[in-house]
Amino acid sequence: MRNSKRTVAAWGTGTILAATLGAAPAMGASAGPQIERGRYVALIGGCNDCHTAGSAPSGGKVPESEWFKGDSLGWRGPWGTTFAPNLRIYVRTMTEDAWVKAAKTLKTRPPMPWWALQAMSEPDLRALYRFIRSVGEPGAPAPPYLPPDKAPAPPYVELVLPPAKPGK
């Protein structure tokens, strides 16, 4: 089924996969309170659902050494096709203050629930940043965004949205 097109009907965007469970200790990470808080925020925020390949289908049973490396599973809709980026690469390009500012102003394409990231407290964002930076080497980037007229290679999830209601 890896190469089959999957269709998911959705009324809107948001978190459509179950929250990730089960965490292994960070490889080489200090078990300090900021790192532990960041791990907790990542788990309850469902970051691994999209940003860690295989996490949602396995019920979160992916080694922490693989967390946040992005995914080649595409999310296709009227906006085009998006791929969950490699957060390890993303945070390595910025300071902690720059990460907090970016998270508080982020607006992206679906299915990323950017409004949830904006709602996080500054201490939680700082802890998340430190945890992401603690999990290991960055790995490879995820595939780039594809515009609506470009078909993605499988696997991808196609979000079929209902027609817009008149007057909205």
Side-chain angles (χ1 to χ4, degrees):
M1 254 204 215
R2 178 164 161 71
N3 291 329
S4 67
K5 182 166 115 177
R6 300 175 207 142
T7 303
V8 176
W11 280 98
T13 61
T15 306
I16 61 175
L17 300 173
T20 306
L21 300 173
M27 293 180 53
S30 165
Q34 283 289 86
I35 299 297
E36 291 303 318
R37 179 70 184 175
R39 179 183 289 110
Y40 174 74
V41 169
L43 288 170
I44 66 166
C47 303
N48 283 324
D49 293 352
C50 294
H51 294 280
T52 300
S55 183
S58 71
K61 292 181 177 33
V62 174
E64 199 168 284
S65 62
E66 297 303 308
W67 287 16
F68 313 123
K69 289 185 175 181
D71 200 348
S72 61
L73 175 67
W75 296 87
R76 187 175 193 198
W79 61 87
T81 305
T82 52
F83 299 87
N86 180 326
L87 295 179
R88 294 178 185 201
I89 292 173
Y90 184 69
V91 301
R92 287 188 192 269
T93 65
M94 60 180 60
T95 65
E96 187 173 309
D97 288 338
W99 156 257
V100 170
K101 182 178 179 181
K104 288 293 190 183
T105 59
L106 183 69
K107 286 196 175 185
T108 64
R109 297 176 186 93
M112 174 64 192
W114 50 264
W115 54 91
L117 197 61
Q118 288 181 355
M120 284 186 186
S121 70
E122 183 174 323
D124 282 349
L125 288 170
R126 290 184 182 282
L128 181 59
Y129 172 87
R130 291 177 187 184
F131 177 61
I132 293 169
R133 293 203 39 134
S134 79
V135 293
E137 291 302 312
Y145 162 77
L146 295 173
D149 63 329
K150 303 289 183 201
Y156 63 92
V157 175
E158 186 156 341
L159 298 173
V160 180
L161 304 176
K165 293 183 180 183
K168 290 202 176 195

